[in-house]
Amino acid sequence: MSLYGLALLSASSGLAAAPQDAAAPVTDTGVSGSGLEEVMVMARRREESLQEVPLSITAMGTKDLEVRGIDTTEGLNRMVPNVVIASTNFFGRQGGSFRMRGLPNVGVYVDGIASNASAGTLMNIVEVDRVEVLRGPQGTLFGKNVIGGAIQYITKRPQDTFGGRVKSSIGSYDRFDVSANIDIPLSETFLTKITAAKLSRDGFVPSTTIDKRFGSQNDTTGRLDLLWKPSDSFNWRVAAGYDDQRTNGNPSTVWALNPVCVGDPNPPANFPGGAPNFPCLYEAAGLPINQDYVYGARGQRKTASDYNGPELYTKVKSFSTEINYEMSDTWALKGIGSRRELKTTAYADFDGTPYRIFDGANYSEPEETTAELQFLFSGERLHGTNGLYYYNNENYGRRINWLANDLKREVDPVRNALASAYIGGFFFAPVIDQLSYTKTEGWAVFAEWTYDVTDKFSITAGARYNEDEVTNAQYTPRSPVPVACCSPVLSVETDGGPARAGTALGDKWTNIAPRLSFQYQWTSDIMTYLTYSEGFNQGGVNNVNGLAIGFDPETLKNYEIGLRSDLFDRRLRLNASVFYGQYQDIQVSEEIIPRFPTTTNAGEAKVRGIEIEGVVLVTDNFTINYGAGWLDSEYTDLGTSTAIPLGARFPYAPEKSYSIGAQYDMQLTSGALTFRTDYGWQDEVDTAADIQKSVIPAYGLLSARIMYAPPNGKWDVSLFGSNLTNEYYRINGFYIPTDQMDNGTLGRPREWGLTFGFRFE
């Protein structure tokens, strides 16, 4: 996804670009002379009003994203009802974790192309026209099947007139961002666009052991976009992109680190399940685990980690092509193809101390190929989408863990004896080095048709059939990493060593998922709908300490009713959805082998909730947007799982969340001022369902922006601030029960900035 320099989502639905005269502020107010404007979306592969789509959907234009100050994907968190986006719980911003309604398996699309790897999914705003967020299963309209929902990014196409946009920001922590987008039409039929951006800022979590602040950002983005349109009925678009996203380390710290061995003074008698408790061993070996290292429990943005290796990176090369052909007045053909190549490194100091109690590094080289063919029909009363989809994903990955490395390297005979007695052997070797290869391949056929029975009543029906196959193999690296800790591995050995006996595994699954929806247009401004849909998420293979362990698919049956309304002469937009889901064969993470999270299948669960969002036009210059979500999730049958309590809630499923924003546009004789403020709040969430969970306390973030634009609209300047209350909060976390370690990624503190934008033609 990062190849395209993605924009972010916004806090509310129902806003669209307002007509802009010379003195209008450069924002999307969604206001017209007759009230709130109509918002057009492509959620069902055809342009239609958001208020007429029988889906739980949020849509937003890029100018509104800018005025809200949401400049990274993480900014979406807390801002869209029942949607949670965070960095990964292990390696921070190197990968993204997306949840909708507490459900995983969220599809991320850029111009219709699905991103399958989590690496590179947390990116910055660069030239995006519109973002659409669709909650619930979406397999009958999109190439990739999903359970939780879909996020659809639509980038700006090359324009037929010469022009450009340049934006630059400076701010806290030596922030310096610059981006440029230039449209260069080479002829009336051949158009080009060039996009480039450089974004940087310093880290904000200082180390108490070395001179370094973790959490820096150093990103570079570039894209070339070509569009050939020889006729009104045919166009061909080709894009190539490159992204390099770097950081000096994950901005994480420790919330708990308990070395106490209760009871018998002989530590082995108290190791859970017979597995050594490493902090206890350090204490026994005379290497104290000082509670001063536990900065998270005291609300301090500090860490004792002493990682001083090279920058961690995610590099993405991409190529995509799209062909659109209108074959007749009613039939159209669309073809989409893509190729993405990624390289990513990651490093985590799970114990957050100067010791090597539990450190880890990852390197992976995912390669993704997709192809999709759509046949679109649009008649007077009948509309339909038919599609064929194919994907092939391959990934070589290497995972390294340093376990109690200090003890194993210790020359003191007493400590050496402890290491030999309790840490020796294969699993507790000072270095665990895994090399794996995974291939996922599949195809699908899908269709969805809508028939307008009357001018008010419509029926939508669809279905999807897919086949997915996963193969996995484990290898012995030809060049093992040294015991000396802990630089990240910057390459995988794709030829590897010999395959480990008994570690190759493969499986194949098929599924049919239907969708049925009824909608009724009571008046021109009020619509209700009733929908039943099913979602499917394929199984897969774990790479656990040199073993390949498979897990099965999971499914969801979703029931939903919704309201879309514009009230009081279109001055109040109120959209609401109520849903209930039956979740089966749930994929959960458990520690089958201590310190190694493993995906397995639990039994069943249920989830229900409400989503409310909209906008109030208080005056023609003053708008208030709002959103709220409520979730109730619980496991009702544990199946074979032994680590999840019955009735436990889903990970990343806040019971309550809300957002509110206000915008005032002031017309001046010398231009226009826009004042904007937003607040988003999220209830407490768990990062896992079992005893591995970290608890992220409830928190809210406040932001504000003041923007000025002159009468000619050629430039604008903004003063902005984020996390204005300097809230101390964590984005994600990971708990290791065997060692009683709780580590988590911190959110950025209060920051300010100044942005200047310039447009030319």
Side-chain angles (χ1 to χ4, degrees), residues 516-548:
L516 182 63
S517 183
F518 304 93
Q519 68 182 98
Y520 194 82
Q521 195 76 39
W522 299 90
T523 70
S524 60
D525 294 327
I526 299 176
M527 183 271 282
T528 57
Y529 68 88
L530 171 66
T531 295
Y532 170 77
S533 57
E534 294 185 8
F536 172 83
N537 184 23
Q538 68 193 42
V541 178
N542 295 279
N543 303 316
V544 183
N545 195 31
L547 300 175

mmCIF file of all heavy atoms in Angstrom, residues 516-548:
data_model
loop_
_atom_site.group_PDB
_atom_site.id
_atom_site.type_symbol
_atom_site.label_atom_id
_atom_site.label_comp_id
_atom_site.label_asym_id
_atom_site.label_seq_id
_atom_site.Cartn_x
_atom_site.Cartn_y
_atom_site.Cartn_z
ATOM 1 N N LEU A 516 -26.906 -10.793 0.777
ATOM 2 C CA LEU A 516 -28.274 -10.437 0.412
ATOM 3 C C LEU A 516 -28.656 -9.169 1.159
ATOM 4 O O LEU A 516 -28.454 -9.071 2.375
ATOM 5 C CB LEU A 516 -29.242 -11.565 0.767
ATOM 6 C CG LEU A 516 -30.713 -11.343 0.392
ATOM 7 C CD1 LEU A 516 -30.865 -11.230 -1.123
ATOM 8 C CD2 LEU A 516 -31.579 -12.468 0.942
ATOM 9 N N SER A 517 -29.203 -8.185 0.426
ATOM 10 C CA SER A 517 -29.535 -6.905 1.037
ATOM 11 C C SER A 517 -30.844 -6.374 0.473
ATOM 12 O O SER A 517 -31.119 -6.506 -0.730
ATOM 13 C CB SER A 517 -28.409 -5.893 0.777
ATOM 14 O OG SER A 517 -28.667 -4.674 1.419
ATOM 15 N N PHE A 518 -31.654 -5.787 1.364
ATOM 16 C CA PHE A 518 -32.897 -5.122 0.981
ATOM 17 C C PHE A 518 -32.815 -3.667 1.441
ATOM 18 O O PHE A 518 -32.422 -3.395 2.586
ATOM 19 C CB PHE A 518 -34.111 -5.788 1.629
ATOM 20 C CG PHE A 518 -34.230 -7.251 1.351
ATOM 21 C CD1 PHE A 518 -33.698 -8.187 2.228
ATOM 22 C CD2 PHE A 518 -34.860 -7.712 0.198
ATOM 23 C CE1 PHE A 518 -33.803 -9.544 1.975
ATOM 24 C CE2 PHE A 518 -34.971 -9.067 -0.064
ATOM 25 C CZ PHE A 518 -34.437 -9.985 0.825
ATOM 26 N N GLN A 519 -33.183 -2.739 0.570
ATOM 27 C CA GLN A 519 -33.169 -1.343 0.972
ATOM 28 C C GLN A 519 -34.446 -0.648 0.509
ATOM 29 O O GLN A 519 -35.002 -0.970 -0.553
ATOM 30 C CB GLN A 519 -31.945 -0.619 0.434
ATOM 31 C CG GLN A 519 -31.905 -0.429 -1.072
ATOM 32 C CD GLN A 519 -30.620 0.248 -1.512
ATOM 33 O OE1 GLN A 519 -29.683 -0.430 -1.928
ATOM 34 N NE2 GLN A 519 -30.572 1.571 -1.431
ATOM 35 N N TYR A 520 -34.881 0.327 1.330
ATOM 36 C CA TYR A 520 -36.123 1.045 1.013
ATOM 37 C C TYR A 520 -35.879 2.536 1.192
ATOM 38 O O TYR A 520 -35.414 2.980 2.239
ATOM 39 C CB TYR A 520 -37.267 0.598 1.925
ATOM 40 C CG TYR A 520 -38.621 1.053 1.436
ATOM 41 C CD1 TYR A 520 -39.292 0.341 0.452
ATOM 42 C CD2 TYR A 520 -39.211 2.215 1.934
ATOM 43 C CE1 TYR A 520 -40.522 0.756 -0.017
ATOM 44 C CE2 TYR A 520 -40.439 2.650 1.470
ATOM 45 C CZ TYR A 520 -41.088 1.921 0.489
ATOM 46 O OH TYR A 520 -42.318 2.336 0.017
ATOM 47 N N GLN A 521 -36.192 3.305 0.141
ATOM 48 C CA GLN A 521 -36.025 4.749 0.146
ATOM 49 C C GLN A 521 -37.349 5.381 0.546
ATOM 50 O O GLN A 521 -38.240 5.600 -0.270
ATOM 51 C CB GLN A 521 -35.592 5.229 -1.248
ATOM 52 C CG GLN A 521 -35.051 6.636 -1.279
ATOM 53 C CD GLN A 521 -33.639 6.749 -0.729
ATOM 54 O OE1 GLN A 521 -32.810 5.877 -0.966
ATOM 55 N NE2 GLN A 521 -33.376 7.824 0.000
ATOM 56 N N TRP A 522 -37.506 5.676 1.853
ATOM 57 C CA TRP A 522 -38.782 6.180 2.360
ATOM 58 C C TRP A 522 -39.103 7.551 1.778
ATOM 59 O O TRP A 522 -40.249 7.834 1.409
ATOM 60 C CB TRP A 522 -38.744 6.244 3.882
ATOM 61 C CG TRP A 522 -38.524 4.901 4.513
ATOM 62 C CD1 TRP A 522 -37.332 4.326 4.819
ATOM 63 C CD2 TRP A 522 -39.525 3.946 4.856
ATOM 64 N NE1 TRP A 522 -37.515 3.072 5.353
ATOM 65 C CE2 TRP A 522 -38.860 2.813 5.390
ATOM 66 C CE3 TRP A 522 -40.918 3.934 4.789
ATOM 67 C CZ2 TRP A 522 -39.533 1.692 5.847
ATOM 68 C CZ3 TRP A 522 -41.604 2.823 5.242
ATOM 69 C CH2 TRP A 522 -40.918 1.711 5.753
ATOM 70 N N THR A 523 -38.119 8.428 1.749
ATOM 71 C CA THR A 523 -38.238 9.735 1.105
ATOM 72 C C THR A 523 -36.929 9.987 0.374
ATOM 73 O O THR A 523 -36.011 9.165 0.410
ATOM 74 C CB THR A 523 -38.486 10.860 2.137
ATOM 75 O OG1 THR A 523 -37.283 11.048 2.910
ATOM 76 C CG2 THR A 523 -39.641 10.504 3.075
ATOM 77 N N SER A 524 -36.804 11.148 -0.247
ATOM 78 C CA SER A 524 -35.562 11.454 -0.954
ATOM 79 C C SER A 524 -34.389 11.596 0.004
ATOM 80 O O SER A 524 -33.227 11.523 -0.414
ATOM 81 C CB SER A 524 -35.726 12.745 -1.759
ATOM 82 O OG SER A 524 -36.052 13.835 -0.898
ATOM 83 N N ASP A 525 -34.685 11.773 1.318
ATOM 84 C CA ASP A 525 -33.622 12.003 2.293
ATOM 85 C C ASP A 525 -33.509 10.920 3.357
ATOM 86 O O ASP A 525 -32.675 11.041 4.256
ATOM 87 C CB ASP A 525 -33.842 13.352 2.995
ATOM 88 C CG ASP A 525 -33.686 14.528 2.050
ATOM 89 O OD1 ASP A 525 -32.862 14.421 1.124
ATOM 90 O OD2 ASP A 525 -34.392 15.534 2.227
ATOM 91 N N ILE A 526 -34.314 9.869 3.307
ATOM 92 C CA ILE A 526 -34.285 8.828 4.335
ATOM 93 C C ILE A 526 -34.299 7.456 3.663
ATOM 94 O O ILE A 526 -35.179 7.156 2.851
ATOM 95 C CB ILE A 526 -35.477 8.937 5.306
ATOM 96 C CG1 ILE A 526 -35.442 10.285 6.035
ATOM 97 C CG2 ILE A 526 -35.449 7.800 6.319
ATOM 98 C CD1 ILE A 526 -36.627 10.519 6.945
ATOM 99 N N MET A 527 -33.306 6.617 4.005
ATOM 100 C CA MET A 527 -33.219 5.246 3.480
ATOM 101 C C MET A 527 -32.870 4.293 4.617
ATOM 102 O O MET A 527 -32.099 4.640 5.507
ATOM 103 C CB MET A 527 -32.146 5.174 2.389
ATOM 104 C CG MET A 527 -32.032 3.794 1.712
ATOM 105 S SD MET A 527 -30.865 2.656 2.547
ATOM 106 C CE MET A 527 -29.300 3.303 1.974
ATOM 107 N N THR A 528 -33.452 3.112 4.586
ATOM 108 C CA THR A 528 -33.084 2.054 5.525
ATOM 109 C C THR A 528 -32.722 0.801 4.736
ATOM 110 O O THR A 528 -33.156 0.614 3.586
ATOM 111 C CB THR A 528 -34.227 1.722 6.500
ATOM 112 O OG1 THR A 528 -35.403 1.349 5.761
ATOM 113 C CG2 THR A 528 -34.537 2.906 7.398
ATOM 114 N N TYR A 529 -31.900 -0.075 5.366
ATOM 115 C CA TYR A 529 -31.514 -1.311 4.688
ATOM 116 C C TYR A 529 -31.369 -2.443 5.694
ATOM 117 O O TYR A 529 -31.176 -2.224 6.900
ATOM 118 C CB TYR A 529 -30.208 -1.127 3.908
ATOM 119 C CG TYR A 529 -28.982 -0.928 4.764
ATOM 120 C CD1 TYR A 529 -28.235 -2.013 5.242
ATOM 121 C CD2 TYR A 529 -28.542 0.358 5.092
ATOM 122 C CE1 TYR A 529 -27.099 -1.829 6.017
ATOM 123 C CE2 TYR A 529 -27.402 0.545 5.861
ATOM 124 C CZ TYR A 529 -26.691 -0.545 6.323
ATOM 125 O OH TYR A 529 -25.578 -0.360 7.089
ATOM 126 N N LEU A 530 -31.456 -3.649 5.188
ATOM 127 C CA LEU A 530 -31.267 -4.883 5.951
ATOM 128 C C LEU A 530 -30.352 -5.778 5.134
ATOM 129 O O LEU A 530 -30.628 -6.055 3.966
ATOM 130 C CB LEU A 530 -32.605 -5.571 6.214
ATOM 131 C CG LEU A 530 -32.554 -6.979 6.827
ATOM 132 C CD1 LEU A 530 -31.976 -6.925 8.236
ATOM 133 C CD2 LEU A 530 -33.938 -7.614 6.837
ATOM 134 N N THR A 531 -29.241 -6.243 5.749
ATOM 135 C CA THR A 531 -28.229 -6.996 5.008
ATOM 136 C C THR A 531 -27.804 -8.241 5.775
ATOM 137 O O THR A 531 -27.631 -8.204 6.994
ATOM 138 C CB THR A 531 -26.983 -6.119 4.754
ATOM 139 O OG1 THR A 531 -27.336 -5.031 3.905
ATOM 140 C CG2 THR A 531 -25.874 -6.921 4.081
ATOM 141 N N TYR A 532 -27.631 -9.347 5.017
ATOM 142 C CA TYR A 532 -26.980 -10.547 5.530
ATOM 143 C C TYR A 532 -25.762 -10.818 4.644
ATOM 144 O O TYR A 532 -25.853 -10.818 3.413
ATOM 145 C CB TYR A 532 -27.910 -11.756 5.498
ATOM 146 C CG TYR A 532 -27.188 -13.059 5.800
ATOM 147 C CD1 TYR A 532 -26.850 -13.394 7.102
ATOM 148 C CD2 TYR A 532 -26.816 -13.927 4.769
ATOM 149 C CE1 TYR A 532 -26.177 -14.569 7.390
ATOM 150 C CE2 TYR A 532 -26.141 -15.111 5.045
ATOM 151 C CZ TYR A 532 -25.822 -15.426 6.358
ATOM 152 O OH TYR A 532 -25.146 -16.591 6.640
ATOM 153 N N SER A 533 -24.623 -11.064 5.268
ATOM 154 C CA SER A 533 -23.413 -11.340 4.501
ATOM 155 C C SER A 533 -22.526 -12.305 5.265
ATOM 156 O O SER A 533 -22.619 -12.427 6.490
ATOM 157 C CB SER A 533 -22.646 -10.034 4.209
ATOM 158 O OG SER A 533 -22.331 -9.365 5.410
ATOM 159 N N GLU A 534 -21.654 -12.983 4.533
ATOM 160 C CA GLU A 534 -20.700 -13.907 5.130
ATOM 161 C C GLU A 534 -19.287 -13.529 4.707
ATOM 162 O O GLU A 534 -19.061 -13.050 3.600
ATOM 163 C CB GLU A 534 -21.002 -15.350 4.715
ATOM 164 C CG GLU A 534 -22.312 -15.880 5.257
ATOM 165 C CD GLU A 534 -22.535 -17.358 4.935
ATOM 166 O OE1 GLU A 534 -21.581 -17.997 4.422
ATOM 167 O OE2 GLU A 534 -23.639 -17.860 5.191
ATOM 168 N N GLY A 535 -18.356 -13.760 5.632
ATOM 169 C CA GLY A 535 -16.953 -13.504 5.355
ATOM 170 C C GLY A 535 -16.120 -14.741 5.610
ATOM 171 O O GLY A 535 -16.488 -15.615 6.407
ATOM 172 N N PHE A 536 -14.976 -14.809 4.944
ATOM 173 C CA PHE A 536 -14.098 -15.980 5.029
ATOM 174 C C PHE A 536 -12.655 -15.513 5.048
ATOM 175 O O PHE A 536 -12.257 -14.646 4.263
ATOM 176 C CB PHE A 536 -14.336 -16.889 3.820
ATOM 177 C CG PHE A 536 -13.370 -18.037 3.684
ATOM 178 C CD1 PHE A 536 -13.567 -19.212 4.393
ATOM 179 C CD2 PHE A 536 -12.265 -17.946 2.838
ATOM 180 C CE1 PHE A 536 -12.679 -20.281 4.263
ATOM 181 C CE2 PHE A 536 -11.380 -19.008 2.702
ATOM 182 C CZ PHE A 536 -11.589 -20.171 3.416
ATOM 183 N N ASN A 537 -11.869 -16.080 5.946
ATOM 184 C CA ASN A 537 -10.437 -15.805 6.020
ATOM 185 C C ASN A 537 -9.697 -17.128 5.980
ATOM 186 O O ASN A 537 -9.921 -17.999 6.827
ATOM 187 C CB ASN A 537 -10.097 -15.035 7.293
ATOM 188 C CG ASN A 537 -8.633 -14.638 7.353
ATOM 189 O OD1 ASN A 537 -7.960 -14.548 6.327
ATOM 190 N ND2 ASN A 537 -8.132 -14.407 8.552
ATOM 191 N N GLN A 538 -8.848 -17.307 4.998
ATOM 192 C CA GLN A 538 -8.149 -18.567 4.789
ATOM 193 C C GLN A 538 -7.281 -18.944 5.986
ATOM 194 O O GLN A 538 -6.951 -18.122 6.831
ATOM 195 C CB GLN A 538 -7.264 -18.467 3.554
ATOM 196 C CG GLN A 538 -6.096 -17.514 3.762
ATOM 197 C CD GLN A 538 -5.395 -17.152 2.482
ATOM 198 O OE1 GLN A 538 -6.035 -16.905 1.480
ATOM 199 N NE2 GLN A 538 -4.069 -17.117 2.514
ATOM 200 N N GLY A 539 -6.899 -20.195 6.035
ATOM 201 C CA GLY A 539 -5.964 -20.664 7.042
ATOM 202 C C GLY A 539 -4.541 -20.314 6.665
ATOM 203 O O GLY A 539 -4.281 -19.529 5.753
ATOM 204 N N GLY A 540 -3.596 -20.900 7.380
ATOM 205 C CA GLY A 540 -2.209 -20.580 7.111
ATOM 206 C C GLY A 540 -1.259 -21.483 7.858
ATOM 207 O O GLY A 540 -1.647 -22.540 8.377
ATOM 208 N N VAL A 541 -0.006 -21.051 7.947
ATOM 209 C CA VAL A 541 1.052 -21.848 8.553
ATOM 210 C C VAL A 541 1.884 -20.959 9.469
ATOM 211 O O VAL A 541 2.285 -19.855 9.087
ATOM 212 C CB VAL A 541 1.962 -22.487 7.487
ATOM 213 C CG1 VAL A 541 3.093 -23.268 8.141
ATOM 214 C CG2 VAL A 541 1.158 -23.393 6.565
ATOM 215 N N ASN A 542 2.134 -21.429 10.703
ATOM 216 C CA ASN A 542 3.038 -20.753 11.626
ATOM 217 C C ASN A 542 4.471 -21.224 11.403
ATOM 218 O O ASN A 542 4.714 -22.378 11.035
ATOM 219 C CB ASN A 542 2.675 -21.098 13.076
ATOM 220 C CG ASN A 542 1.317 -20.583 13.474
ATOM 221 O OD1 ASN A 542 1.150 -19.431 13.801
ATOM 222 N ND2 ASN A 542 0.321 -21.469 13.447
ATOM 223 N N ASN A 543 5.412 -20.328 11.665
ATOM 224 C CA ASN A 543 6.833 -20.688 11.722
ATOM 225 C C ASN A 543 7.259 -20.565 13.176
ATOM 226 O O ASN A 543 7.519 -19.473 13.666
ATOM 227 C CB ASN A 543 7.669 -19.759 10.845
ATOM 228 C CG ASN A 543 7.201 -19.755 9.411
ATOM 229 O OD1 ASN A 543 6.919 -20.808 8.863
ATOM 230 N ND2 ASN A 543 7.108 -18.582 8.806
ATOM 231 N N VAL A 544 7.278 -21.673 13.892
ATOM 232 C CA VAL A 544 7.501 -21.639 15.337
ATOM 233 C C VAL A 544 8.742 -22.446 15.688
ATOM 234 O O VAL A 544 8.720 -23.681 15.664
ATOM 235 C CB VAL A 544 6.288 -22.194 16.104
ATOM 236 C CG1 VAL A 544 6.506 -22.077 17.609
ATOM 237 C CG2 VAL A 544 5.026 -21.451 15.702
ATOM 238 N N ASN A 545 9.818 -21.741 15.993
ATOM 239 C CA ASN A 545 11.035 -22.394 16.458
ATOM 240 C C ASN A 545 11.467 -23.536 15.545
ATOM 241 O O ASN A 545 11.797 -24.631 15.975
ATOM 242 C CB ASN A 545 10.835 -22.908 17.888
ATOM 243 C CG ASN A 545 12.144 -23.273 18.555
ATOM 244 O OD1 ASN A 545 13.163 -22.679 18.259
ATOM 245 N ND2 ASN A 545 12.107 -24.239 19.434
ATOM 246 N N GLY A 546 11.426 -23.276 14.247
ATOM 247 C CA GLY A 546 11.853 -24.277 13.284
ATOM 248 C C GLY A 546 10.789 -25.278 12.900
ATOM 249 O O GLY A 546 11.050 -26.208 12.142
ATOM 250 N N LEU A 547 9.551 -25.096 13.395
ATOM 251 C CA LEU A 547 8.466 -26.007 13.079
ATOM 252 C C LEU A 547 7.413 -25.291 12.247
ATOM 253 O O LEU A 547 7.172 -24.101 12.420
ATOM 254 C CB LEU A 547 7.821 -26.548 14.361
ATOM 255 C CG LEU A 547 8.734 -27.323 15.313
ATOM 256 C CD1 LEU A 547 7.955 -27.683 16.575
ATOM 257 C CD2 LEU A 547 9.277 -28.569 14.635
ATOM 258 N N ALA A 548 6.755 -26.023 11.351
ATOM 259 C CA ALA A 548 5.639 -25.505 10.577
ATOM 260 C C ALA A 548 4.355 -26.071 11.173
ATOM 261 O O ALA A 548 4.138 -27.279 11.174
ATOM 262 C CB ALA A 548 5.766 -25.906 9.111
#
